[in-house]
Amino acid sequence: MLNPAATARRAIPSVDRLLKLDPVGALIAEYGRPLVVETIRAVLDEQRALLNGDGAVSLDENSLLATCSARLHAATSASLKPVFNLTGTVLHTNLGRALLPQTAAQAALMAMTRAVNLEFDLGGGARGERDSHVEAWLKRLTGAETALVVNNNAAAVYLVLNTLALRKEVIVSRGELIEIGGAFRIPDIMARAGCRLREVGTTNRTHARDYTQAVSTRTAAIMKVHASNYAIQGFTASVPEDDLAAIAREHELPFLIDLGSGSLVDLERYGLPHEPTPRETIANGADVVTFSGDKLLGGPQCGLIVGRKELIAKIRKNPMKRALRVDKVTLAALEATLRLYADPERLTRELPTLRLLTRPRAEIETQAQRVLPAIVAAVAGCADAQIIACASQIGSGALPVEALPSAGIALTPRAKRKGTAAAAIADAFRALPVPVIGRIKGNAFILDLRCLDDEAGFIAQLHQLKIQSLATEVTEHTEKSKTRSNK
Ligand SMILES: *Cc1c(COP(=O)(O)O)cnc(C)c1O
């Protein structure tokens, strides 16, 4: 006699049997046979395992196939996908930083799908240099003698230090030993680049004499790091760039500046707070300047190194340049982005980063009034929605203190345990087909509309917000946090 579990196990259909069912043909056409067989096998194995554990099993062939179909869909849908960045941080590192201009996207597509003269001199037919495609623009826009491009600014800093200061000391102010986004720390990059950090001054004050007293035969360079994601305020002192340049020159040392964001235009002309430009730092006497391509510049991820010919030539010859170089797609997008800077008048229209940064508060508030009714309807019964004044940030380390006046919508949950319910609203917005990312402040979920481009698309999916499950999620969250706090 078979026991009931064994009977049930025999009743679970075989892989072959399921493969013969009609709907499977459509699955195979869509996902390919190997993936379908693998998924059916996995689902059936799970059912068998459930039997051993007294769990409820499904023996119905149609429902088993439905499970397989859902699994296949989930497993093959794109992992990297668009989201609505309503965090209020325009250059959000976790959301991919700068949105590329249309012309850059077109240039990237061209480079992806066609053969290009990446390292080929069309004039002489000889081998060319890949950075040459952007060198002229970078020289023109920064006033530097020459330029080169690597994978990102962290790579740029690494390559500069590794080339110019290997096994020697680099003098940096204690107030500038920054960490960016957890993974990029100046002291760590310096160690990996093979140089010794010579810290001078104190956290809040560093003077010219601190630098001059630190110079020795071991010194390879003086470096200044733009304090991009924080500000030291109060009783502070730092040495102006031109004074540092003079000290470096006096001791025949290169003066390096890591700008981080580095805007190619003076942001003040667009009514934004000032951010140092590579042109200013070069004019102040910097010998090599590094900055990011996908921060304020508004282009693809890359790191720009601009400065003196003889130093850049050495950096170019470093074997690590090959390991850190950018691909044709990045170069195509970067060239197209830089070309837009030829006409600063059109820049706010054509460069998404600058367009979003300069959106006036009044315009954003008008947009908030337009989308408010759809949001009110979507969260009805679960939360109250109201238009609020808020402050956006540039992000990615630029201008940490200054905030941009903006407008948004605050969703305040109606549930009793408010702190956790705001998180439940955030979960529901993230679960939309195009996930909406906002931020939680106090007991409210805030959507800053500064970066809301596709307003129609945003409104069109709001009816899918799981209002019912939002209500249950609110309780679930409350339950979960209860269990957590009981532990
Ligand atoms: C952002 C930043 C970096 C790192 O640049 P990535 O492009 O993220 O590699 C380095 N230094 C400073 C000062 C920065 O702001």
Side-chain angles (χ1 to χ4, degrees), residues 93 97 151-157 178 180-181 184 186 225-229 258-262 290-295 301-303 396-398:
T93 298
R97 290 192 186 159
N151 180 58
N152 57 13
N153 189 35
V157 174
I178 56 162
I180 290 145
F184 179 87
I186 287 290
V225 183
H226 182 52
S228 54
N229 54 356
D258 175 24
L259 267 190
S261 215
T290 53
F291 55 103
S292 287
D294 56 350
K295 292 185 179 174
Q301 178 196 301
C302 58
S396 285

Side-chain angles (χ1 to χ4, degrees), residues 344-357:
E345 297 302 323
R346 288 194 312 211
L347 211 49
T348 47
R349 257 181 291 139
E350 296 184 10
L351 193 72
T353 299
L354 201 55
R355 178 167 51 76
L356 294 172
L357 287 175

Side-chain angles (χ1 to χ4, degrees), residues 56-229:
V57 267
S58 164
L59 301 174
D60 175 55
E61 290 172 353
N62 285 329
S63 80
L64 285 171
L65 281 188
T67 307
C68 291
S69 171
R71 288 276 173 92
L72 283 162
H73 180 74
T76 54
S77 61
S79 167
L80 190 66
K81 53 187 177 185
V83 302
F84 283 105
N85 171 13
L86 304 191
T87 59
T89 301
V90 177
L91 295 168
H92 198 300
T93 298
N94 303 140
L95 301 181
R97 290 192 186 159
L99 312 182
L100 296 202
Q102 279 304 321
T103 52
Q106 282 154 8
L109 185 66
M110 178 282 296
M112 273 188 241
T113 51
R114 306 191 62 172
V116 289
N117 59 333
L118 179 63
E119 292 184 349
F120 188 82
D121 171 16
L122 291 174
R127 203 196 135 97
E129 168 60 52
R130 68 175 58 208
D131 293 341
S132 68
H133 302 287
V134 292
E135 192 189 352
W137 283 116
L138 287 167
K139 279 162 68 173
R140 185 171 174 273
L141 293 165
T142 65
E145 288 173 9
T146 187
L148 66 83
V149 192
V150 287
N151 180 58
N152 57 13
N153 189 35
V157 174
Y158 170 88
L159 197 63
V160 169
L161 291 172
N162 181 260
T163 310
L164 302 179
L166 187 62
R167 287 187 279 277
K168 298 196 88 178
E169 287 182 359
V170 178
I171 304 175
V172 186
S173 158
R174 283 209 169 80
E176 298 169 3
L177 296 176
I178 56 162
E179 168 179 315
I180 290 145
F184 179 87
R185 286 179 164 194
I186 287 290
D188 296 346
I189 287 279
M190 230 176 238
R192 287 289 167 153
C195 3
R196 233 163 313 139
L197 170 64
R198 179 77 165 85
E199 302 170 37
V200 296
T202 60
T203 304
N204 58 330
R205 292 174 72 83
T206 304
H207 307 280
R209 62 173 182 277
D210 294 324
Y211 287 93
T212 47
Q213 285 165 4
V215 174
S216 74
T217 51
R218 292 181 302 274
T219 312
I222 293 179
M223 183 175 184
K224 187 171 176 64
V225 183
H226 182 52
S228 54
N229 54 356

Side-chain angles (χ1 to χ4, degrees), residues 203-284:
T203 304
N204 58 330
R205 292 174 72 83
T206 304
H207 307 280
R209 62 173 182 277
D210 294 324
Y211 287 93
T212 47
Q213 285 165 4
V215 174
S216 74
T217 51
R218 292 181 302 274
T219 312
I222 293 179
M223 183 175 184
K224 187 171 176 64
V225 183
H226 182 52
S228 54
N229 54 356
Y230 71 103
I232 294 181
Q233 285 171 325
F235 183 60
T236 64
S238 62
V239 184
E241 281 171 10
D242 45 359
D243 291 353
L244 271 186
I247 295 172
R249 220 167 2 215
E250 190 185 314
H251 295 91
E252 295 181 350
L253 296 168
F255 176 35
L256 320 174
I257 299 192
D258 175 24
L259 267 190
S261 215
S263 173
L264 285 180
V265 281
D266 182 359
L267 291 182
E268 273 171 310
R269 75 179 281 168
Y270 306 101
L272 292 166
H274 185 77
E275 173 78 15
T277 65
R279 177 178 288 284
E280 277 164 25
T281 51
I282 294 279
N284 284 339

